[in-house]
Amino acid sequence: MEVLRGEGTYDQLNRIGQRLMQMTVAALEEAGVPFQIAGEPAVYEVVFTDSKVCDYRDTQAGKAERTKR
């Protein structure tokens, strides 16, 4: 908790998360894998689906087998 209280910690987490999110999107698009990104940069989730993700149930309906792999 002490580390999280440090000045700029959340900004740094969001910058790193944004970069990871961009890299994830680029790799999955290049591979032709259908997906949606859910969440904020610091805590995002990849949902393997070609449908729009609007809520928690949509994330659970994503292709579970692909998620396991």
Side-chain angles (χ1 to χ4, degrees):
M1 296 302 292
E2 185 176 323
V3 171
L4 292 175
R5 286 189 198 110
E7 189 169 329
T9 300
Y10 286 98
D11 291 334
Q12 182 178 5
L13 284 173
N14 282 317
R15 278 193 305 275
I16 292 168
Q18 185 65 43
R19 181 70 180 126
L20 287 171
M21 189 185 287
Q22 291 168 345
M23 292 167 49
T24 301
V25 167
L28 291 172
E29 285 178 346
E30 183 177 320
V33 176
F35 71 96
Q36 295 288 311
I37 298 287
E40 297 297 318
V43 288
Y44 71 92
E45 177 179 3
V46 178
V47 182
F48 295 100
T49 181
D50 50 6
S51 301
K52 186 174 180 180
V53 174
C54 295
D55 57 30
Y56 177 74
R57 275 177 277 203
D58 294 339
T59 66
Q60 298 304 300
K63 305 218 176 3
E65 269 310 305
R66 183 163 284 186
T67 301
K68 286 179 187 176
R69 287 187 287 188

